[in-house]
Amino acid sequence: MTIPPPAGPQNEGPQNAAPHTGPQNTAPQDTAPRSEAPHPPAVPRPAVLLSGGPGGLGGPGGGPARALQRVTASALGPYQSAVVRIGFAATYLFFLLRELPNRHELYGPDSPWHWDLARQLTNGNEAFSVLMWTDSTVWFEAVYVLTLLSAAALLLGWRTRTMSVLFMVGVLSVQNRSIFMGDGGDNVVHLMAIYLVLTRCAQVWSLDARRAARNAQRVSAGLPPLRDVVGPTLWVLLGPVLVAATLMGGLGGTWWLPTLLWTIWLSAAAWWAVNRYLPHGEPRTLLDVLANLAHNATLAVIMAEVCLIYATAGWYKIQGSRWQDGTALYYPLNLDYFTPWPALSDILGASGLMVMVLTYGTVIVQVAFPFTLFNRRVKNVLLVIMICEHAGIALLLGLPFFSMAMIAADAVFLPTAFLVWLGTRATIGGRRLLSGLPGRSRTPGKPGAFGPAHGPAHPPEAGPAKDGGGGTQEPRLQGGGGGHTLVG
């Protein structure tokens, strides 16, 4: 995975600046940049730090020190984590919308796996589902709608920290209500919904980042940042719900979920207090370091999870006789359940050579992918092949949401340069599309005009800046000096 170099506290988005994983957006100062006194001129580092002397970056301890500084000073992979957030939120949002007419039969009161059976199962496996709190139809509809709204808000990056928690609760509740209704894609969404809570995935391509950029522009103009009212309101509303669920034993039988939810909620208050009373002190720096560590560790877990999925899938396929003789793909192409386009499946299944190439190619790519991560070019080639493979599965086998989930998981390995280019192309395309709407004008300085490339929500200082190595450096959304780090 290609990631931008550490850029200190400027890498944090408004909703990803906390070590906690709860309604971080609830702090009035959490979504606003902090103003500071002008920085003094840069002072050159002592020669010993660059020449390999004791403790210097070029010395024996330079490598570990740089690595520790990198993982504590910034949240790595901001574009990759943003794509993962958008991908999984979109996957589950579209799934819930598609199943809207069938929701009662799948997860609601009309399900063959009725509420009493689901209750017995969750009591046995200690699973969590708010749908088990009551068998009321009104409650089911409320949970379904809330899950839909949280997925849409997470997709847009609005109040990302809070929405990621609500999204996780919704996903776990719906899936654990009827566990026999899912497939492999649901398992991936289940895991990623938990991981996203621990990441700072709204640094870029989110409404939170846009709000932070606007506040940064206000601070640079000598104006105070906009006061946040929505964040504290969400924190106050969700607190009594968490207290009631804990007292009534409605958080499942595991220890980690109540611990996670309470840590999220309490850390939101701690973050608000630190930003209000000690915005430039050591507690603020410590919170930043913990947030970066949690994000970077979770991103590494996501990468390991993807590698494990492909490695186990590939090695299990090798043990199957149909994969060994190259005919495995032929059978799903001739099952009515997996043939949304029978004519296309017949054409492909009629070619023995094509079936054999695709069967062996699938095994080779899945087994080889984890071993190619150390070679960027080979990794990118296999990544393109796997994305095309999942697109083919969606088209030929009629499994669009499984394919969307796997493509979203694969995105954690996409190169940063490609994602930046993709975001720029999408921005330009969106402006061109909006320019054709009535009331829009291209002339600067007039109503409906398009301003500079960054626009008011993306001032030049908040945009990606080139670093010395040709990479990208995250927007400086917050004031601050030399990076939040434990070693620098």
Side-chain angles (χ1 to χ4, degrees):
M1 179 182 67
T2 306
I3 49 180
Q10 63 266 31
N11 280 351
E12 64 190 43
Q15 303 306 319
N16 299 279
H20 60 277
T21 52
Q24 168 195 351
N25 311 339
T26 62
Q29 298 298 326
D30 191 19
T31 58
R34 298 173 282 111
S35 59
E36 291 190 354
H39 301 295
V43 178
R45 293 178 180 269
V48 67
L49 292 179
L50 301 177
S51 61
L57 296 180
R66 282 196 301 268
L68 184 58
Q69 183 176 20
R70 188 176 180 85
V71 299
T72 59
S74 61
L76 305 177
Y79 292 93
Q80 287 81 0
S81 58
V83 172
V84 172
R85 165 181 61 83
I86 294 171
F88 280 99
T91 298
Y92 211 64
L93 174 63
F94 295 151
F95 171 77
L96 293 178
L97 289 176
R98 190 193 72 169
E99 301 299 345
L100 193 61
N102 308 311
R103 64 190 184 280
H104 287 267
E105 289 77 13
L106 292 176
Y107 306 106
D110 298 332
S111 173
W113 188 255
H114 57 81
W115 191 84
D116 291 334
L117 288 175
R119 183 70 175 177
Q120 295 178 26
L121 181 61
T122 53
N123 288 339
N125 60 16
E126 300 182 337
F128 164 76
S129 175
V130 298
L131 292 177
M132 294 295 98
W133 292 358
T134 175
D135 59 350
S136 169
T137 303
V138 175
W139 176 245
F140 167 76
E141 297 288 0
V143 172
Y144 199 92
V145 172
L146 181 61
T147 307
L148 268 171
L149 295 178
S150 63
L154 187 63
L155 172 64
L156 297 175
W158 181 80
R159 304 289 168 177
T160 310
R161 187 65 63 191
T162 303
M163 292 304 117
S164 65
V165 176
L166 295 179
F167 179 73
M168 177 192 71
V169 170
V171 169
L172 298 183
S173 298
V174 172
Q175 290 189 355
N176 290 337
R177 166 63 178 84
S178 300
I179 62 174
F180 301 108
M181 299 296 179
D183 53 26
D186 291 326
N187 295 333
V188 178
V189 174
H190 188 110
L191 293 172
M192 294 300 173
I194 300 174
Y195 297 153
L196 283 175
V197 175
L198 301 170
T199 63
R200 309 172 83 172
C201 54
Q203 298 175 100
V204 296
W205 299 341
S206 67
L207 296 180
D208 292 342
R210 173 173 294 188
R211 184 172 62 254
R214 289 174 177 170
N215 280 331
Q217 191 177 38
R218 289 177 59 88
V219 171
S220 64
L223 299 174
L226 297 174
R227 183 181 180 184
D228 182 18
V229 178
V230 177
T233 302
L234 289 174
W235 187 83
V236 170
L237 291 177
L238 293 176
V241 177
L242 180 58
V243 172
T246 303
L247 295 178
M248 296 173 60
L251 296 180
T254 59
W255 64 268
W256 66 267
L257 184 61
T259 303
L260 176 62
L261 294 177
W262 274 105
T263 301
I264 289 169
W265 191 71
L266 294 176
S267 59
W271 188 264
W272 178 86
V274 168
N275 272 305
R276 184 175 180 86
Y277 300 108
L278 295 170
H280 314 310
E282 289 299 322
R284 175 63 171 80
T285 301
L286 178 61
L287 291 180
D288 242 353
V289 169
L290 294 176
N292 293 332
L293 287 173
H295 169 92
N296 296 330
T298 304
L299 208 60
V301 171
I302 292 175
M303 297 168 66
E305 190 80 42
V306 175
C307 291
L308 183 64
I309 289 173
Y310 284 121
T312 54
W315 286 106
Y316 273 113
K317 286 181 175 67
I318 289 177
Q319 302 176 39
S321 59
R322 296 294 178 263
W323 292 96
Q324 293 175 5
D325 59 27
T327 62
L329 184 61
Y330 173 82
Y331 298 98
L333 290 176
N334 287 273
L335 293 176
D336 293 338
Y337 185 79
F338 293 109
T339 53
W341 311 98
L344 186 60
S345 299
D346 291 342
I347 294 174
L348 184 60
S351 174
L353 178 62
M354 185 62 66
V355 169
M356 183 184 67
V357 169
L358 292 177
T359 301
Y360 286 150
T362 299
V363 176
I364 293 173
V365 169
Q366 291 182 349
V367 172
F369 179 73
F371 301 100
T372 64
L373 297 182
F374 301 101
N375 189 305
R376 181 180 303 177
R377 294 183 178 179
V378 178
K379 182 263 295 182
N380 290 340
V381 171
L382 290 188
L383 197 58
V384 172
I385 294 175
M386 289 193 300
I387 291 176
C388 293
E389 174 189 345
H390 289 303
I393 291 175
L395 178 64
L396 293 174
L397 302 183
L399 298 172
F401 300 110
F402 166 79
S403 299
M404 288 180 64
M406 291 308 304
I407 291 174
D410 294 341
V412 74
F413 294 105
L414 289 175
T416 301
F418 168 73
L419 293 177
V420 172
W421 173 86
L422 186 64
T424 303
R425 295 299 97 188
T427 301
I428 294 176
R431 288 199 179 101
R432 289 177 178 175
L433 180 63
L434 292 176
S435 65
L437 297 178
R440 294 283 183 172
S441 170
R442 293 178 182 270
T443 306
K446 295 183 179 181
F450 288 100
H454 293 282
H458 303 279
E461 67 270 18
K466 291 292 180 179
D467 61 23
T472 58
Q473 192 168 339
E474 279 307 293
R476 186 178 291 275
L477 300 180
Q478 302 243 1
H484 295 161
T485 171
L486 291 174
V487 298

